[in-house]
Amino acid sequence: MERPRVLVVEDRPSVLTLMATILESWYEVVTASSGAAALSLIDSTPFDVVLTDIRMPGISGFDVLRAVQGRKLATGVVMMTAYANVPDAVAAMKLGAYDYVAKPLDADEITLVVARAVEHVREAQADPSAPPAVDRGSADESSELSMGFHRAVEEARDRASREYLTKLLRLFDGNVTQAAKRARMTRESLHRVMKKYDVRAEHRRDASVGEQPQAAGPGGGLSSTG
Amino acid sequence: VVAFSALLAAVVSALAVQIVALREMEVTLTAMKDHEEQMHLALELEDAVRDQYGHQARFVLGESLDLVDYERARSRAHELSRKLSAGLDEPDAMAWMSQIREASAELDRLFRENVAPAVESQNPTAKVAHERTYPLVSRIEQRVDDIFGRLQQAISVLRRDLVEIQGDVLRWTAALLVIMPAFVAAAVLYLSRSVARPLAQLSEGSAALARGDLDTRIDIETPDEFGALATEFNAMTVALKQHHVKLVESEKLAGIGRVAAGIAHELNNPLQVMLGYLSLNRDLPDRRLAQQLAVVEEEALRCKEIVAGLFELSRPSFMPASVDLRELCDDVAVGLRETAQPAGAKLSVDGMAEALGDRNKLRQVLFNLMKNAVEAAGPAGEVEVAVRSAGDQVEVAVSNSGAGIAPDARARVFEPFFTTKPSGTGLGLAVSRAIARAHRGDIAFAEREHGGAVFILRLPRAPEARS
């Protein structure tokens, strides 16, 4: 299976190296230490996922997001943000970012969100009318006051993670090892995120009827077998 | 005002007394002048009578046969006696004057009826008759002298009066010269007591205030403007002190906030990289190393919590929504019961209310308050959480049956980094209060009735749900 391409944009070398280390076992990782470097890389090479810090000197994560959207690239943009700046990330979601990860960065969480983003991009390529992975429908302007956009987004992304994991496990009939391979994470890592999102691996014979674990070929989405 | 009036009245009355005395002196002097004039008239009268007698004598001796000169002398004497009698008012003098007039009339009558006819008929009895007139002249002279003497006496009396009045005036003036300075001194003393002293006190107080002594009080309790001013001044210094204390506190918190933000920012980056690598190495085949790394991760996560607390302290950001406080309290209580030791404190939640706030932040606040309460209450203790609405606000009162807070620690419980627990960071209550205040609420501490402590979280009430 072709390794998806991931661009990591981050101005601090230590964080950049960490991100590359987390992802390099599974992905083709390219790093950019500034927004400007990221923009020229986006123009020259296609990426499945761009993982970008929001606050950088000069060209910011928002600029990178806008550049991707302006070029109508089949790329999922995931924002990285410091603990205290979650509202920035929520604002980026409003602008069309696929998702965000809050620092401190957790390897399990990062691999999961990148896996989801890759899956989303592939699905969107196969079926352009597919809804966004993180449904922001309940987080429109009017509900912002009564419920809190932030909370709505958090709930929506938790739901998206849960749905992704449920679908993934159903696809492999509860076989965690195979599911982990598909999600490009370790078995242990998948176990931890399953526990975190309260998703259990159930061996359900009726659900497995007609399903072929290897059916999802290169470029195919999870939903292509459903 | 009273002092000034008294002073003015004294001066005016003293001057009035002086004027009256001067007027008296003038009257006396006029009287003396009148008397002197009369004395002069008396002397003239005496002279005129002698002149009249002289003419009579010359007629008798045959030196002159013309009676015109005699007539002139007689009418002069008559005129003078009239004038003199007009100016007299004393009974004695008036009686003497009428005697003079009678004698004068007799003198003239004798001359015309006896002497003149005898001289014209060259009768030798003329001389005899003439000699009979001499005692009359003598008597007139005598009486004029009497009047003169009386007038002299009156003048000397008047002079004595005058001297007396002068003495009085002198004494009055001298007395004024003594009394006036005394009055002025008294007035100055009074003014200094009623104006200068309070003014000095006010000025001293202001100077002390300017030096930064906010405990300055001015002790003037008179019911006048100065007393009112002093009361205002004291109220002002009290208000100033309160503002100052508040300002110092908020400055202190702001300073701590800045330091906290700086530390948090600097620690955050290395921490996130450390945690990232730790999270990447959870699945090491070397179990011993994996266990050690798990401990490192646990401790690093604790550091992360402290950093998060420092961020909260400096800049509690939140996104308000309607939060069911009862549900949140129950939720936190369930979590606490799960993690508590087998025989943890009895924890109960009662009441309900909805606050306007950030669910996650409020959970953090309630977790801090309830965890503290459970720890303070001890295994055999009780923790009661009461949720209720109070006007525009909602309250969560978390009370525990523990030992309470030592008096010297009470003022510091909300201070960042202040803790009585051996393993506490001292950020829990400080962060909780910062979050509550960012919500336009607050956390207050009170003593529980039967021992123990109560922490009351107040928050704005959620607006009525839209239908």
Side-chain angles (χ1 to χ4, degrees):
Chain A
M1 186 159 49
E2 189 191 328
R3 277 151 72 98
R5 292 173 58 79
V6 177
L7 172 63
V8 182
V9 191
E10 166 66 58
D11 59 321
R12 278 160 301 173
S14 58
V15 179
L16 198 57
T17 309
L18 167 66
M19 299 303 291
T21 310
I22 291 170
L23 295 169
E24 68 194 359
S25 316
W26 317 95
Y27 299 92
E28 196 70 43
V29 179
V30 178
T31 59
S33 59
S34 73
L39 291 188
S40 62
L41 280 166
I42 287 167
D43 280 336
S44 58
T45 338
F47 290 100
D48 293 288
V49 174
V50 173
L51 205 56
T52 178
D53 190 15
I54 292 183
R55 294 198 175 180
M56 292 182 290
I59 290 165
S60 74
F62 283 110
D63 297 324
V64 174
L65 172 61
R66 273 191 283 268
V68 170
Q69 286 181 324
R71 288 163 181 75
K72 299 202 185 302
L73 299 171
T75 305
V77 180
V78 175
M79 315 303 286
M80 295 189 288
T81 182
Y83 169 82
N85 297 325
V86 168
D88 284 354
V90 175
M93 297 282 286
K94 275 186 182 172
L95 286 175
Y98 172 71
D99 208 338
Y100 74 90
V101 281
K103 299 169 185 173
L105 305 164
D106 185 281
D108 295 342
E109 200 60 43
I110 286 163
T111 47
L112 177 62
V113 78
V114 172
R116 274 172 49 217
V118 167
E119 207 58 57
H120 169 66
V121 168
R122 302 249 157 119
E123 271 179 27
Q125 277 175 327
D127 177 13
S129 65
V134 177
D135 183 13
R136 301 174 185 86
S138 61
D140 60 10
E141 294 298 327
S142 68
S143 66
E144 192 171 339
L145 289 170
S146 59
M147 202 186 167
F149 186 79
H150 179 201
R151 197 179 154 200
V153 165
E154 281 197 336
E155 283 181 355
R157 63 194 290 264
D158 282 2
R159 198 162 53 238
S161 291
R162 203 170 294 122
E163 276 169 11
Y164 169 82
L165 290 171
T166 308
K167 237 175 182 179
L168 182 72
L169 286 159
R170 190 176 296 153
L171 181 64
F172 292 102
D173 192 22
N175 186 327
V176 176
T177 310
Q178 286 187 11
K181 198 173 172 190
R182 173 62 180 270
R184 298 179 183 85
M185 48 207 307
T186 63
R187 208 175 160 275
E188 292 80 4
S189 198
L190 181 57
H191 263 304
R192 276 192 296 269
V193 294
M194 280 166 62
K195 192 181 171 194
K196 180 177 174 187
Y197 291 105
D198 200 21
V199 175
R200 270 181 288 273
E202 291 171 20
H203 298 270
R204 288 164 56 184
R205 297 204 168 277
D206 53 334
S208 70
V209 172
E211 284 194 277
Q212 299 164 332
Q214 300 302 321
L222 288 173
S223 57
S224 63
T225 57
Chain B
V1 176
V2 174
F4 273 118
S5 309
L7 189 65
L8 198 67
V11 170
V12 166
S13 57
L15 284 175
V17 168
Q18 294 283 60
I19 286 166
V20 168
L22 284 171
R23 174 78 193 143
E24 250 180 86
M25 279 170 78
E26 195 192 342
V27 167
T28 312
L29 280 169
T30 309
M32 279 170 76
K33 208 174 126 202
D34 288 350
H35 282 50
E36 271 168 5
E37 252 170 47
Q38 279 172 324
M39 279 164 81
H40 185 68
L41 279 175
L43 288 173
E44 262 190 274
L45 175 62
E46 206 174 11
D47 192 41
V49 170
R50 282 196 194 116
D51 200 25
Q52 187 185 355
Y53 178 73
H55 280 297
Q56 285 184 2
R58 274 199 293 279
F59 189 74
V60 171
L61 292 172
E63 283 174 20
S64 166
L65 292 174
D66 193 357
L67 285 175
V68 176
D69 285 343
Y70 167 77
E71 190 51 38
R72 194 183 296 136
R74 191 205 61 82
S75 74
R76 187 168 154 248
H78 181 75
E79 183 62 22
L80 283 168
S81 68
R82 197 186 56 79
K83 266 190 190 170
L84 185 58
S85 70
L88 292 174
D89 47 5
E90 209 190 334
D92 277 358
M94 277 159 81
W96 292 332
M97 199 58 223
S98 63
Q99 283 177 16
I100 289 170
R101 276 172 139 169
E102 274 169 27
S104 186
E106 182 67 12
L107 182 66
D108 189 45
R109 194 187 54 78
L110 275 175
F111 178 68
R112 283 179 199 284
E113 289 177 5
N114 300 337
V115 178
V119 170
E120 274 165 6
S121 60
Q122 291 186 338
N123 191 329
T125 60
K127 272 190 185 174
V128 179
H130 176 65
E131 273 164 14
R132 275 172 53 202
T133 62
Y134 184 75
L136 285 172
V137 174
S138 291
R139 195 191 301 163
I140 288 170
E141 277 181 343
Q142 184 62 46
R143 287 302 169 230
V144 168
D145 281 353
D146 285 347
I147 288 171
F148 189 86
R150 188 54 62 89
L151 283 170
Q152 222 167 10
Q153 203 181 338
I155 281 177
S156 72
V157 166
L158 283 172
R159 185 165 289 135
R160 212 171 50 235
D161 285 356
L162 194 63
V163 168
E164 219 166 88
I165 291 166
Q166 269 178 333
D168 283 354
V169 168
L170 215 68
R171 274 191 294 280
W172 263 108
T173 308
L176 268 180
L177 280 175
V178 173
I179 289 165
M180 286 278 282
F183 252 116
V184 169
V188 165
L189 203 69
Y190 176 78
L191 285 178
S192 79
R193 281 196 71 82
S194 66
V195 178
R197 214 165 68 95
L199 267 180
Q201 276 177 294
L202 281 167
S203 135
E204 244 172 62
S206 303
L209 197 60
R211 282 198 302 274
D213 178 8
L214 293 179
D215 292 316
T216 305
R217 298 287 180 277
I218 295 176
D219 183 27
I220 302 174
E221 280 173 6
T222 50
D224 58 6
E225 289 85 345
F226 286 111
L229 198 58
T231 307
E232 289 291 317
F233 182 94
N234 291 340
M236 181 184 78
T237 51
V238 167
L240 260 178
K241 170 116 189 194
Q242 283 169 350
H243 279 118
H244 183 73
V245 167
K246 262 190 198 167
L247 197 69
V248 166
E249 195 195 343
S250 71
E251 273 292 307
K252 195 172 148 190
L253 281 178
I256 288 170
R258 278 192 294 276
V259 172
I263 293 171
H265 188 77
E266 292 305 317
L267 284 183
N268 200 36
N269 295 337
L271 254 184
Q272 75 190 35
V273 175
M274 284 160 66
L275 279 166
Y277 280 109
L278 286 166
S279 70
L280 191 58
N281 290 289
R282 280 170 187 147
D283 310 319
L284 291 176
D286 183 341
R287 288 190 66 83
R288 196 160 158 273
L289 185 58
Q291 274 175 359
Q292 287 169 357
L293 282 182
V295 174
V296 173
E297 187 173 2
E298 207 173 286
E299 292 300 313
L301 280 170
R302 191 168 138 77
C303 292
K304 190 197 93 172
E305 288 304 318
I306 293 171
V307 166
L310 292 175
F311 270 125
E312 290 294 348
L313 206 59
S314 64
R315 189 182 50 179
S317 61
F318 64 95
M319 304 196 180
S322 202
V323 178
D324 184 340
L325 286 177
R326 172 59 185 267
E327 188 216 315
L328 203 55
C329 287
D330 282 336
D331 202 17
V332 172
V334 167
L336 281 171
R337 283 192 201 105
E338 274 175 11
T339 56
Q341 302 299 314
K346 191 172 163 256
L347 178 59
S348 60
V349 182
D350 191 36
M352 51 174 51
E354 288 210 348
L356 183 67
D358 184 309
R359 188 184 165 83
N360 286 337
K361 307 273 161 144
L362 293 183
R363 172 196 287 276
Q364 189 183 341
V365 173
L366 289 169
F367 177 80
N368 281 335
L369 293 180
M370 286 160 73
K371 183 164 171 281
N372 283 349
V374 167
E375 285 170 2
E382 279 183 13
V383 172
E384 285 168 357
V385 180
V387 183
R388 60 174 171 266
S389 296
D392 287 347
Q393 288 193 314
V394 291
E395 281 182 6
V396 182
V398 181
S399 56
N400 70 73
S401 60
I405 294 170
D408 56 332
R410 273 173 207 161
R412 300 188 62 198
V413 288
F414 292 108
E415 244 178 50
F417 308 113
F418 176 81
T419 183
T420 55
K421 291 183 262 179
S423 65
T425 61
L427 281 172
L429 278 176
V431 167
S432 296
R433 181 177 250 191
I435 291 172
R437 287 187 172 173
H439 279 76
R440 297 184 186 284
D442 207 345
I443 299 178
F445 161 76
E447 277 175 84
R448 193 165 162 267
E449 242 175 68
H450 308 293
V454 187
F455 283 89
I456 302 161
L457 168 68
R458 292 193 178 86
L459 294 166
R461 193 178 177 166
E464 294 298 315
R466 282 180 294 183
S467 53

